[in-house]
Amino acid sequence: MVQVSQSATGVTGGPALVRLLARLADTELPESRQGFADRLSHWVRWTDAISLSAALDGAPAGAPSAARPSGIAEERECARVRTALAQTIATTPMETSTDFAPHRRRYLASQQAMETRIGPLRERLRTRLAARSPALARLAAVDAVMAQSLAVHEQRLLATLPGMLEKHFIRLRRAEAEAQDAPDNGAEAGRWLKVFGKDMQALMLAEL
């Protein structure tokens, strides 16, 4: 029963985070009948659409850089931030509490660390992108509008992840309690916490 987190689902496409959540919930997610643009339209208000149209059609401010840098420095900076966050996730000692509260605090701390490091990085990269060419300046403007438009929805959805993880935690804990009550089960006591720790780490990395 502790192996519940390893069960397969019918989800084969979509982002890794969505597939992992389906696996942890031990459920199948139906394929959406709507295209990406149609689904996105439910999140973008008409005022956002006006800003987006202006970003797409407006003339970019500032002249493009004559040097046309390759972008290697930006790629390295993104890789450095991602590596640092991933290493923190991988090396932080796993809580051994059978109460979910410490695990929730750790997950929320991980989300806060991502927001603190990634937000400023994205702003810096937009500024550099805008200096490259009119087309890339337009792309940077579109990204800024989209980030502002989707921020509330993104934060609302990501805030639900600890609660979904708690349900998985409770299922694993209950499954082990049932296994320990069975005669001659031979199950390793506490193994469910190791399974949960790996699953939580995988969820953090998928969110990253």
Side-chain angles (χ1 to χ4, degrees):
M1 293 294 291
V2 176
Q3 292 294 331
V4 64
S5 67
Q6 302 302 319
S7 61
T9 73
V11 180
T12 57
L17 178 60
V18 174
R19 297 197 306 273
L20 179 57
L21 287 172
R23 179 173 70 80
L24 297 185
D26 197 27
T27 188
E28 290 192 15
L29 295 181
E31 293 291 336
S32 174
R33 296 181 180 274
Q34 288 185 308
F36 174 74
D38 291 332
R39 297 197 304 273
L40 190 62
S41 67
H42 296 296
W43 282 14
V44 178
R45 301 167 301 178
W46 68 270
T47 51
D48 299 324
I50 292 175
S51 299
L52 183 59
S53 178
L56 286 167
D57 298 335
S65 170
R68 289 191 175 266
S70 66
I72 293 177
E74 287 82 358
E75 291 179 12
R76 288 176 176 171
E77 186 173 2
C78 288
R80 179 179 57 78
V81 170
R82 190 195 185 287
T83 298
L85 289 168
Q87 286 180 342
T88 299
I89 291 172
T91 58
T92 300
M94 178 63 196
E95 294 283 351
T96 58
S97 174
T98 56
D99 180 74
F100 186 72
H103 304 283
R104 177 185 293 275
R105 287 194 292 269
R106 182 190 172 194
Y107 199 94
L108 292 175
S110 176
Q111 287 185 319
Q112 183 60 50
M114 291 183 202
E115 183 177 352
T116 300
R117 297 291 297 274
I118 295 173
L121 171 64
R122 190 172 181 178
E123 292 180 3
R124 291 196 301 272
L125 295 182
R126 279 197 209 106
T127 299
R128 297 178 192 176
L129 196 65
R132 296 285 189 84
S133 70
L136 292 179
R138 194 172 294 114
L139 177 62
V142 168
D143 182 72
V145 171
M146 293 301 293
Q148 182 176 0
S149 301
L150 303 181
V152 172
H153 303 286
E154 179 183 16
Q155 291 170 6
R156 172 176 55 82
L157 290 174
L158 292 179
T160 67
L161 296 188
M164 298 177 72
L165 191 63
E166 182 176 13
K167 293 178 181 178
H168 179 57
F169 179 88
I170 293 172
R171 279 194 297 270
L172 290 176
R173 185 176 61 188
R174 184 184 299 123
E176 169 148 312
E178 293 172 354
Q180 291 297 325
D181 288 341
D184 302 324
N185 65 83
E188 176 189 349
R191 185 175 183 275
W192 71 278
L193 265 177
K194 297 178 183 178
V195 174
F196 173 76
K198 291 180 180 179
D199 286 340
M200 185 167 79
Q201 187 179 85
L203 189 62
M204 289 176 175
L205 291 173
E207 182 176 338
L208 174 60

